[in-house]
Amino acid sequence: MKPSNKALATEDKLSRTVTTILDKAGQEPDPAVLQRLQQAREQALGRFDERIRQPAGHGERLALWLLRHTQALRRSMLALSFAMVAGTGVWLAEGLLVEEEAVDAAILSHELPLEVLMDPHFSGSMHD
């Protein structure tokens, strides 16, 4: 689809305006403009100071409460996750130790002497 002549004219005018603005050397603002800017800044700072002195509204308090409790909930969930992972690791390690102790107790309480159980040909002769 070809752009219309009106769109081309608008685009050309815009590019010429931008080029003209960029080609001009920077000028110091007029003192009247500087004074209006200073007044606007002072008014904005005054409104900001007034707003800060006012008590927080219900919406702001609710948002702050929600933010604090959401952060606390995230930290709690992180701590709980870490505790669960650590607890699971300890539980598994304890289970392995109990199994190892049971095997040690079974070997030591067996009727055969320990040297016979350690003989490499002992298990082979058992199967034959």
Side-chain angles (χ1 to χ4, degrees):
M1 175 179 229
K2 290 185 176 184
S4 67
N5 289 339
K6 186 175 182 180
L8 286 175
T10 305
E11 185 178 318
D12 188 44
K13 182 179 178 184
L14 177 64
S15 64
R16 278 187 279 131
T17 303
V18 170
T19 305
T20 304
I21 290 171
L22 292 176
D23 287 343
K24 286 185 178 180
Q27 299 175 2
E28 286 295 318
D30 186 30
V33 172
L34 285 176
Q35 185 179 8
R36 286 192 308 239
L37 286 173
Q38 183 64 29
Q39 288 173 352
R41 181 178 186 275
E42 289 172 3
Q43 288 174 355
L45 287 174
R47 285 192 305 264
F48 178 75
D49 289 339
E50 288 175 16
R51 178 65 182 104
I52 287 295
R53 284 189 222 118
Q54 293 177 357
H58 294 295
E60 290 177 5
R61 286 191 300 218
L62 179 63
L64 287 173
W65 180 87
L66 186 62
L67 180 66
R68 283 189 211 116
H69 285 79
T70 302
Q71 288 175 345
L73 182 64
R74 286 180 185 165
R75 290 180 187 135
S76 300
M77 291 301 293
L78 181 63
L80 180 62
S81 299
F82 178 73
M84 288 181 65
V85 167
T88 303
V90 168
W91 178 66
L92 289 174
E94 183 69 27
L96 292 175
L97 289 175
V98 168
E99 289 177 15
E100 187 177 309
E101 289 173 1
V103 170
D104 289 345
I107 289 173
L108 293 174
S109 65
H110 201 274
E111 306 170 345
L112 295 173
L114 190 58
E115 292 81 20
V116 174
L117 294 174
M118 295 178 67
D119 183 23
H121 301 294
F122 175 74
S123 63
S125 63
M126 291 280 294
H127 292 293
D128 293 340

